[in-house]
């Protein structure tokens, strides 16, 4: 079945530094990538949607200059948290969709801790 | 805007028993899809079952089945013969029929399975 590899699975960084999270679709072409943020015991909150080769569409309240999304190829999308602060500590999950079909394939998530 | 509501933050069930998780949604669309996802402690999102709105027959996947009431906008999940491995957070989700559209998640229901 479809697989999305998300790395790193966890990362600790110092306040003020940037962190990049990668999601790779291993056996299909991800025309659309969704990036979510999840706090403990809460639902997934959509941050942005990106289509290959286009600029990402950010949800209201999400700072596009802080959360940089790149989807330059059909198999790779990245989320960069710039100038991270402790309040950015969270669980980040990507989800990919192919052009055909209605399935969503989720990455395994990245736990970000900013100290 | 579409909304998904899960009114049960927590549920518990005895091993081998049956439990039903509730979900209601609000939409003005006629073409849409509904999903139940499971998120175990590993936090990997796992698709449990999917229902197309145009299908009258309720979807079934082994021990998992849904009760889809389109007029009532209700989409409950029944887990039969509950197993310890079913313990997880369960999310109900909705998407429109438009290709590439986003998933809208409910708040989630934490299911505990007691031995």
């Amino acid at each position: 079945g479809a697989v999305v590899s998300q790395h790193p699975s966890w990362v600790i960084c110092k306040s003020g530094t940037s962190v990049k999270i990668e999601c790779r679709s291993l056996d299909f072409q991800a025309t659309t990538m969704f990036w979510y943020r999840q706090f403990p015991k809460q639902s997934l909150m959509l941050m942005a949607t990106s289509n290959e080769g286009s600029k990402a569409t950010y949800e209201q309240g999400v700072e596009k200059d802080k959360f940089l999304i790149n989807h330059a190829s059909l198999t790779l999308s990245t989320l960069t948290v710039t100038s991270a602060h402790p309040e950015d500590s969270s669980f980040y999950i990507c989800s990919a969709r192919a052009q055909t079909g209605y399935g969503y394939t989720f990455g395994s998530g990245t736990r970000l801790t900013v100290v | 805007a579409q909304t998904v509501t899960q009114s049960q933050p927590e549920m518990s069930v005895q091993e081998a028993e049956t439990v039903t998780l509730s979900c209601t949604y609000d939409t003005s669309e006629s073409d849409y899809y509904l999903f139940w996802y499971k998120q175990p402690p590993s936090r990997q999102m796992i698709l449990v079952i999917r229902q197309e709105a145009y299908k009258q027959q309720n979807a079934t996947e082994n021990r998992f089945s849904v009760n889809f009431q389109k007029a009532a906008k209700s989409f409950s999940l029944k887990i039969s013969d509950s197993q310890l491995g079913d313990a997880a957070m369960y999310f109900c989700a909705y998407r429109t029929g438009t290709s590439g559209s986003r998933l809208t998640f409910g708040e989630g229901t934490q299911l505990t399975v007691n031995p």
Side-chain angles (χ1 to χ4, degrees), chain A residues 32 34 36 38-44 46 59 91 93 97 99 101-102 104 106-108 111, chain B residues 33 35 37 39 42-45 50 52 89 91 95 98-103 105-107 110:
Chain A
T32 305
F34 303 91
Y36 296 89
Q38 185 181 32
F39 291 107
K41 298 190 181 298
Q42 293 189 20
S43 188
L44 281 70
L46 182 65
E59 295 299 303
F91 192 69
I93 308 174
R97 279 209 64 202
Q99 187 171 6
Y102 41 63
Y104 298 80
F106 287 82
S108 54
R111 183 181 303 279
Chain B
Y33 300 84
F35 307 81
Y37 282 91
Q39 189 180 41
S42 68
R43 303 190 81 170
Q44 173 71 59
M45 295 289 285
R50 176 185 60 234
E52 294 87 344
M89 180 74 90
F91 293 101
R95 63 151 282 203
T98 304
S99 176
S101 63
R102 57 190 286 181
L103 283 172
F105 288 94
E107 306 91 333
Q110 181 68 51

Side-chain angles (χ1 to χ4, degrees), chain B residues 30-41:
Chain B
S30 58
D31 180 22
Y32 55 88
Y33 300 84
L34 296 164
F35 307 81
W36 278 98
Y37 282 91
K38 168 185 177 181
Q39 189 180 41

